[in-house]
Amino acid sequence: MSTATSMTTSASSRTYVEARDVASAVAAMSAGARPIAGGTDLVVGARHGKAPLPAALVGIHRIPGLSDVAATDGGGLRIGALVTHATLVADPAVLAAYPGLADASAIVGSHATRANGTLGGNVMNSSPAMDTGAPLLCHGGVAVLVGPAGERRVALADLWTGPGRSTAAPDELLVAVELDGPPADGASGSSYVRLQYRRQMEIAIVGAGAVVTLGADGTVTDAKVAITALAPVIHRVAEAEAALVGTDGGFEAARAAGAAAAAAARPISDVRGSADYRRAMAAVITRRAVLTAVRRARGESVPVPASDTTFGS
């Protein structure tokens, strides 16, 4: 049985419903409400005049099960939509098998943002500068959505269509993101690196994520590379991946992957950097991400977040 509590603020003519389960949240969304959990983007954006608060909100922060991180039957990882970035940084399963996601989660906003902001909110905002997007794509991320017609699964590559836009219906609630498990054969390592001017409250100027698998002889047998803040949507770069497979994963291979990422970039110019600067930095940041992933695949310890420790690589 679905349950929810509600209140109306007459001064602003806004309504707020607190959902206690997924069904009641979906019902409220079907009636026009917008979901809110951490609110780190929605509330801040309203305060800064970017967009007004919606007339109707449904709080989803008390829904059971959406704050869990658990293994899937296929050996992957299911991350509930309400899992915070701070939780991801500290989770043993994430640190062991998905360190690139920990890299990204560790540099989202500020300490307060990471303590309250959720992965689900990050994913559904569909920002091309979102830090967690590149590692999620590299790990085969799939969004689990629930709407009036039931549950459906959408690859993140098919979910994001542009800044702030997705293929999710207005009455569909993201309940989890599922990731592929580590390869059965070979050693795998991942990383996320971004270009940043400061360590707190920064938005990615350029970012890159990488997942690399090494065979018994140390040769790269599989590679995933994705770039951030370099196109209308975060996306993988097939040419960069091809440049790595069959190589030793060394500097020259990583440099070739970086060049491919730069060629695939479609950056804009804004107050944080010109398009030419972003394209040049795409090669550097991708190279660093690849080399870090390879080091981790070889069993080397690279502290999280990798962005703080990879300069000079």
Side-chain angles (χ1 to χ4, degrees):
M1 177 179 178
S2 63
T3 58
T5 58
S6 64
M7 66 178 184
T8 302
T9 54
S10 58
S12 60
S13 298
R14 292 190 176 94
T15 61
Y16 173 80
V17 175
E18 186 175 290
R20 297 303 178 95
D21 54 33
V22 172
S24 58
V26 171
M29 293 169 65
S30 297
R34 180 173 175 181
I36 183 171
T40 54
D41 283 313
L42 187 66
V43 175
V44 172
R47 287 176 176 173
H48 290 175
K50 294 181 179 179
L53 283 174
L57 293 169
V58 54
I60 61 172
H61 54 286
R62 296 186 188 275
I63 298 178
L66 300 195
S67 298
D68 298 339
V69 179
T72 65
D73 292 339
L77 199 68
R78 180 182 173 99
I79 304 171
L82 298 183
V83 173
T84 66
H85 301 292
T87 297
L88 290 171
V89 174
D91 188 272
V94 173
L95 289 169
Y98 307 90
L101 180 57
D103 287 332
S105 299
I107 55 177
V108 172
S110 65
H111 289 291
T113 303
R114 293 189 290 275
N116 293 282
T118 64
L119 184 69
N122 214 198
V123 168
M124 296 309 293
N125 280 339
S126 305
S127 169
M130 154 174 69
D131 289 306
T132 57
L136 290 175
L137 275 187
C138 288
H139 285 293
V142 172
V144 182
L145 301 166
V146 176
E151 180 181 296
R152 71 183 181 107
R153 299 162 58 83
V154 183
L156 294 182
D158 298 322
L159 180 71
W160 300 320
T161 58
R165 303 195 305 273
S166 77
T167 57
D171 55 2
E172 286 186 309
L173 178 69
L174 178 75
V175 297
V177 175
E178 293 186 350
L179 306 180
D180 293 337
D185 299 321
S188 180
S190 67
S191 73
Y192 173 76
V193 178
R194 80 175 182 196
L195 174 65
Q196 55 189 25
Y197 297 141
R198 56 188 181 183
R199 294 187 178 184
Q200 295 287 329
M201 298 303 292
E202 182 66 291
I203 299 174
I205 303 160
V206 172
V211 176
V212 175
T213 302
L214 304 179
D217 62 354
T219 299
V220 177
T221 59
D222 188 62
K224 306 289 192 302
V225 176
I227 52 177
T228 298
L230 289 165
V233 294
I234 299 170
H235 65 92
R236 282 175 49 188
V237 182
E239 296 82 2
E241 297 168 355
L244 293 169
V245 175
T247 74
D248 62 356
F251 186 87
E252 291 304 321
R255 184 164 65 177
R266 291 174 287 156
I268 62 170
S269 295
D270 61 17
V271 295
R272 295 182 295 121
S274 69
D276 288 342
Y277 176 68
R278 281 190 163 102
R279 189 174 291 106
M281 290 301 99
V284 175
I285 297 303
T286 301
R287 184 187 72 219
R288 290 175 178 172
V290 168
L291 290 173
T292 302
V294 170
R295 288 178 60 191
R296 285 174 170 164
R298 290 173 177 163
E300 297 181 36
S301 177
V302 180
V304 170
S307 291
D308 292 349
T309 58
T310 60
F311 294 99
S313 62

